[in-house]
Amino acid sequence: MSPDTLLRLYRRMVRIRIFEEKVQELHRLGKLPGFVHVYVGEEAVAVGACSVLRDTDHITSTHRGHGHCIAKGADVAPMMAELFGRADGYCRGKGGSMHIIDTSLGILGANGIVGGGIPMATGSGIADEVLGRDGVTVCFFGDGAANQGVLLEALNLAAIWKLPVVYLCESNQYMEFTPTTDLTAGRIFRRGEPFGVASMEVDGNDVLEVRRVVGEAVDRARRGEGPTLIEAITYRLSGHSEGESAFVSAYRTEEEVDSWKARDPITRFRDLLQTGAGISAARLDSIDAEEQEAVNEAVVFAESSPFPSPDEALDHVFAPAGG
Amino acid sequence: MSPDTLLRLYRRMVRIRIFEEKVQELHRLGKLPGFVHVYVGEEAVAVGACSVLRDTDHITSTHRGHGHCIAKGADVAPMMAELFGRADGYCRGKGGSMHIIDTSLGILGANGIVGGGIPMATGSGIADEVLGRDGVTVCFFGDGAANQGVLLEALNLAAIWKLPVVYLCESNQYMEFTPTTDLTAGRIFRRGEPFGVASMEVDGNDVLEVRRVVGEAVDRARRGEGPTLIEAITYRLSGHSEGESAFVSAYRTEEEVDSWKARDPITRFRDLLQTGAGISAARLDSIDAEEQEAVNEAVVFAESSPFPSPDEALDHVFAPAGG
Amino acid sequence: MARAYFMAAMNQALRAAMEEDETVIVMGEDVDRGVFGVTRGLIDTFGANRIRKTPISEAAFVGGAVGAAAAGLKPFAHVMFSSFFYVAMDQVANQAARLRYMSGGQVELPIVYFAGTGPSGSAAAQHSENPHSILMHTAGLKVVMPSTPYDAKGLMMAAIRDPNPVVYLADLRLSRRRESIPEDPYEIPLGVADVKRQGEDVTVVALASLVHVAVDVAGKLESDGVSVEVVDPRSLVPLDWDTIVASVRKTGRLVVADPARRLCGLAAEVIAGVSERAWDSLHSRPCRVTWPDIPVPFSPVLEGRLDVGADDLEQAIRTTMGSPVVAGSA
Amino acid sequence: MARAYFMAAMNQALRAAMEEDETVIVMGEDVDRGVFGVTRGLIDTFGANRIRKTPISEAAFVGGAVGAAAAGLKPFAHVMFSSFFYVAMDQVANQAARLRYMSGGQVELPIVYFAGTGPSGSAAAQHSENPHSILMHTAGLKVVMPSTPYDAKGLMMAAIRDPNPVVYLADLRLSRRRESIPEDPYEIPLGVADVKRQGEDVTVVALASLVHVAVDVAGKLESDGVSVEVVDPRSLVPLDWDTIVASVRKTGRLVVADPARRLCGLAAEVIAGVSERAWDSLHSRPCRVTWPDIPVPFSPVLEGRLDVGADDLEQAIRTTMGSPVVAGSA
Ligand SMILES: Cc1ncc(C[n+]2csc(CCOP(=O)(O)OP(=O)(O)O)c2C)c(N)n1
Ligand SMILES: Cc1ncc(C[n+]2csc(CCOP(=O)(O)OP(=O)(O)O)c2C)c(N)n1
Ligand SMILES: [Mg+2]
Ligand SMILES: [Mg+2]
């Protein structure tokens, strides 16, 4: 893999991390309205997966969607403005953290309904299939979402129609405040097997592994060989949502969190770049700094963006006919 | 197995067949309002399964529910009256063919929504589990219903809570006018495997095999060892719904139907009773005649039952509080 | 012009739309045959790539339509009976009806959700819903419910061409209606009501199969010297208040006939909306004739009790006409 | 008497109900902790057999409640946000709301479907629904939506004891409300409205958090010589028409304040229902103040535009009072 590619992966992961840490800070300062779920610790999944996609490929995302959007190429400035509810946000302030959408980049939307994006991704695959395009859709969903029935329906439909969709489960070990394994029978990736859907797990904290495994799935999909179900094993290093400690007591041990911190996907990859690819710390530091700068600028952009005018609430319910 | 048991199985299967053939005749005569789906050819599934259940055990049924109800002990007279929409029907004319219910026999209802009974059966299992009863619930559903997402949710819930529920898929090869395999990926019974749910298939035209396999599942459930998914392979010898030929052209070959007629579960069992258990044709004929008589009487009962008074439509929306 | 049944009229429009636009596809259960006839025969012309038989997985194909539309198709999703909307309600109400708005207008979702609707003769509680009021309340969905083959064809064309999710409800009580309609495709814009009968004394806003009941009752009352105007809204979102209000301004009296439950239904909306817009012209108490607030029962006798009949409507019109009770007279 | 927050009041009732009746169980996501606090702490007393944390499988546990109720339990199903009703709508509308009726009265379904509801501050389109009008239209569901901790506790007790499916909606805008309430369990019957403020000139029927807005506006208008009566229906099915109509008969004027979309909403129902029952006492045009017919937007500014505010309500009251336009005066 070329150093450029490696650095692109690194940069995207760092961008997500810095964006999310800024979001956490802003949330603590009371600057962000609504619910905010950050992606800290899971960066390798989105970045590895989206690194094999084209701009014309599609993704569907979740309530924890910032990482997916950034990985697919979204600009942090209108993202941040959206989180602030401003007019220059991706959705002009109508969507917020849980609903960031950029159709021009194939981002069909974060989604506040757990499992809500699964049929949508399947439909995007139908469009590619019907129109004879070689596009691929990656459907991100959580390990908690794997207990929503739409998964069965999607796997079956994608299997019989050989849809070019990669169902990518982010097994971050939790659904809200409950360990996923407490309420989830068996291994999630095996749920594809009865449908004859290629099914596998991958270390979700290893960006290159994710890239490789998703890459193979995407290639299969592009060749018309149908869907894949991939379970990426990772960990949500932060809470379920920002500010949760105000109303839930601790639900996991420090040791558990620490053990996963030791496997931080960014630290790991940074080490690899230095030791394995001979990239200097200074080079990586400068990327970090650039991304920090970009996120800082995004905040300035967001805070200087006006709120939408109240009556804009009435727009965009319907597209004008004949438009 | 005692001859009594064998004859009880035979009698129930015959009762269903005769009931259904009468229903078909009445439908042709224009005497039955609404949709009617008959169970001809699938009798061994319901009878084999319900033969291992107690009155206090529960079943949930489908739009094709007459067979399940009769197998669980429902009386053909109020069933027939219900099909006629009369006041002496099981549901006082409110439910009809698709909604026959007899809670005193644990029949939680036929169901017009494909897959609608799956969560309900799971809930009935929850009640047994919470209350510490050793009851079991058998959830009948079609091969078409196996593509409804509620199946995944139920399998997962039943697995993690070890619910005493047997999910019994009737693979009668069709969903309406479409062969199930055209739109169903893989084998249905395998869909239980990822959840660690005991999963198996059974010859659904062999009442003793169904009884054995469901019996084992029911015993496991009663012992607190959790759910089972069973796929019973059978065939819908009649159309999807009565009168369908008025609006759909033929969708299966005569050869196909004939090949399954050759495996008619009642003929097969009758042969077995004669050759294997030494029961005389005369004995079996007299059962046939008794059941024919009972069904004829059911029709007389139904036709002489009054229609409910129109204002009864307003009753039974809510149970009186403090009742 | 050629005579066409209600469902065949929609079939004609769907066929024409598929001919004019390659991105129109059909998804649903048994759509090759088509339980109601709306999709019948299309597979022979357009093939299995565009006429897609789905498994019984409503959430997947109703929600799939959203993703497909966002990615370039114009899906016609055949939901079969309108009761089945509930099975896929998340995908209708939380996704299809929301995505454009939540995106700040980035995306168009040209989807038609088609279903047969209403009691069709002892189909009972799970196959007889009329959920139009619920769908109207959802926001983000257009809702169409025609009363004639002519309107059905023109509205179907408009629904398919519309860049938004349109729920198209075909009243199953109209299946046997037949009339001469133009063979060429034509469009009736969404949001334009039709005065199905002119009158002077009382406005009856009637929906779908009740339009014909209203026209019949109007004919009968004519001989008693009561002149009834029948307004058929045809589309419910957008609702053509102008036409409704103009009629009430002319007649001064309002009866709403809605084949659906009462609480929070279309009939309540029309009464409230007319009160807001034309209070000063209401010469007597507006009335609604609807189902009682019960599930749809099976037995023909019970279903008949639920149905809005000609008698109910006549009674309501006579009440409205007969005793000109003026608001505030007590 | 002790001071209790809104959600804590419900928690008290749920605890008492679980103590008095062993068949009451709780199901839902994270109900050991309880996102809103209604189920918090119960697991310590009642254990994991009765406080059942479910996977994220709404259809399974909402529908599971139907089977569980039919088989002898009284499930309290914690649906979390009311937007999630759509995910399990088949199980609510086609099953829970129908089974007793379809069975001809054989079965009782003592279920409480609980959800936090309405905008709670930029939760956006998929976490801010107020679906009460949709649930009212469904038939077969009782619907409760209280405005105070006192009512919340008493109605919760009644909801759990009721032998029917009751949808219990807790307006999230009320989370921080606190008042002294009796510590012992008590019951407020479903279907009994409460006059939250007596007045002579105009009746405001207001729901949930808007009750307090209405009481505040009433206080303000008092000094202008306008005497406002505030009626809180508390339960929507059954709806206490007697109290509402008696109030309008007294005041002759009606404003309905509903925190929900307009088309086919509760406000339309109250206007239509009062028109039917008390037309002769309406001295001016009834008004409704509601959300516009849009999804709930994210940005505080936009959510504020959607909300019914004190100004909107005051304006509506003044309109109703100010220009006594008589029906039929045009
Ligand atoms: C249909 C639905 N049910 C419940 C919720 C509440 N909820 C939001 S996030 C969440 C947990 C999701 O877990 P998972 O899918 O593993 O995603 P993660 O948060 O771990 O990324 C829940 C229950 C929801 N938003 N939608
Ligand atoms: C949710 C839902 N979707 C569609 C239908 C229409 N429908 C009724 S029966 C049926 C086929 C069911 O097939 P299967 O589950 O195999 O049962 P079978 O009829 O073969 O016994 C369909 C599609 C329905 N009743 N409910
Ligand atoms: Mg998770
Ligand atoms: Mg079948």
Side-chain angles (χ1 to χ4, degrees), chain B residues 142-144 170-175 180:
Chain B
D143 40 0
E170 307 184 302
S171 275
N172 65 3
Q173 315 306 321
Y174 281 85
M175 29 198 211
T180 306

mmCIF file of all heavy atoms in Angstrom, chain B residues 142-144 170-175 180, ligand 4:
data_model
loop_
_atom_site.group_PDB
_atom_site.id
_atom_site.type_symbol
_atom_site.label_atom_id
_atom_site.label_comp_id
_atom_site.label_asym_id
_atom_site.label_seq_id
_atom_site.Cartn_x
_atom_site.Cartn_y
_atom_site.Cartn_z
ATOM 1 N N GLY B 142 -46.194 -19.473 8.322
ATOM 2 C CA GLY B 142 -45.960 -19.977 6.981
ATOM 3 C C GLY B 142 -44.533 -19.785 6.510
ATOM 4 O O GLY B 142 -43.761 -19.035 7.111
ATOM 5 N N ASP B 143 -44.189 -20.462 5.425
ATOM 6 C CA ASP B 143 -42.855 -20.251 4.855
ATOM 7 C C ASP B 143 -42.712 -18.821 4.340
ATOM 8 O O ASP B 143 -41.637 -18.236 4.381
ATOM 9 C CB ASP B 143 -42.510 -21.293 3.778
ATOM 10 C CG ASP B 143 -43.657 -21.646 2.852
ATOM 11 O OD1 ASP B 143 -44.773 -21.100 3.005
ATOM 12 O OD2 ASP B 143 -43.447 -22.487 1.946
ATOM 13 N N GLY B 144 -43.822 -18.256 3.888
ATOM 14 C CA GLY B 144 -43.769 -16.847 3.482
ATOM 15 C C GLY B 144 -43.499 -15.939 4.669
ATOM 16 O O GLY B 144 -42.735 -14.972 4.576
ATOM 17 N N GLU B 170 -44.610 -23.802 8.584
ATOM 18 C CA GLU B 170 -45.287 -24.696 7.652
ATOM 19 C C GLU B 170 -44.819 -24.360 6.242
ATOM 20 O O GLU B 170 -45.351 -23.452 5.604
ATOM 21 C CB GLU B 170 -46.794 -24.523 7.764
ATOM 22 C CG GLU B 170 -47.247 -24.686 9.213
ATOM 23 C CD GLU B 170 -48.742 -24.615 9.377
ATOM 24 O OE1 GLU B 170 -49.349 -23.594 8.995
ATOM 25 O OE2 GLU B 170 -49.303 -25.584 9.905
ATOM 26 N N SER B 171 -43.842 -25.104 5.797
ATOM 27 C CA SER B 171 -43.315 -24.860 4.451
ATOM 28 C C SER B 171 -44.190 -25.597 3.459
ATOM 29 O O SER B 171 -43.913 -26.729 3.076
ATOM 30 C CB SER B 171 -41.862 -25.328 4.360
ATOM 31 O OG SER B 171 -41.006 -24.310 4.810
ATOM 32 N N ASN B 172 -45.234 -24.884 3.044
ATOM 33 C CA ASN B 172 -46.179 -25.491 2.105
ATOM 34 C C ASN B 172 -45.861 -25.087 0.669
ATOM 35 O O ASN B 172 -46.696 -25.191 -0.214
ATOM 36 C CB ASN B 172 -47.619 -25.155 2.493
ATOM 37 C CG ASN B 172 -47.913 -23.671 2.376
ATOM 38 O OD1 ASN B 172 -47.059 -22.885 1.952
ATOM 39 N ND2 ASN B 172 -49.117 -23.276 2.749
ATOM 40 N N GLN B 173 -44.651 -24.591 0.480
ATOM 41 C CA GLN B 173 -44.075 -24.326 -0.853
ATOM 42 C C GLN B 173 -44.561 -23.037 -1.515
ATOM 43 O O GLN B 173 -44.017 -22.635 -2.538
ATOM 44 C CB GLN B 173 -44.292 -25.503 -1.826
ATOM 45 C CG GLN B 173 -43.999 -26.876 -1.231
ATOM 46 C CD GLN B 173 -42.604 -26.951 -0.618
ATOM 47 O OE1 GLN B 173 -41.671 -26.396 -1.172
ATOM 48 N NE2 GLN B 173 -42.457 -27.602 0.519
ATOM 49 N N TYR B 174 -45.589 -22.423 -0.976
ATOM 50 C CA TYR B 174 -46.118 -21.227 -1.627
ATOM 51 C C TYR B 174 -46.381 -20.110 -0.650
ATOM 52 O O TYR B 174 -46.685 -20.340 0.522
ATOM 53 C CB TYR B 174 -47.436 -21.549 -2.386
ATOM 54 C CG TYR B 174 -47.127 -22.218 -3.694
ATOM 55 C CD1 TYR B 174 -46.938 -23.594 -3.750
ATOM 56 C CD2 TYR B 174 -46.942 -21.472 -4.857
ATOM 57 C CE1 TYR B 174 -46.591 -24.214 -4.935
ATOM 58 C CE2 TYR B 174 -46.593 -22.082 -6.044
ATOM 59 C CZ TYR B 174 -46.415 -23.452 -6.085
ATOM 60 O OH TYR B 174 -46.053 -24.039 -7.254
ATOM 61 N N MET B 175 -46.236 -18.905 -1.162
ATOM 62 C CA MET B 175 -46.771 -17.737 -0.486
ATOM 63 C C MET B 175 -47.649 -17.075 -1.533
ATOM 64 O O MET B 175 -47.161 -16.610 -2.552
ATOM 65 C CB MET B 175 -45.655 -16.819 -0.004
ATOM 66 C CG MET B 175 -44.394 -16.880 -0.834
ATOM 67 S SD MET B 175 -42.989 -16.225 0.029
ATOM 68 C CE MET B 175 -42.087 -15.610 -1.414
ATOM 69 N N THR B 180 -42.234 -20.384 -2.748
ATOM 70 C CA THR B 180 -41.445 -19.785 -1.684
ATOM 71 C C THR B 180 -39.969 -19.723 -2.035
ATOM 72 O O THR B 180 -39.293 -18.720 -1.771
ATOM 73 C CB THR B 180 -41.635 -20.586 -0.383
ATOM 74 O OG1 THR B 180 -43.041 -20.666 -0.140
ATOM 75 C CG2 THR B 180 -40.964 -19.917 0.786
HETATM 76 MG MG MG E 4 -46.720 -20.939 2.480
#
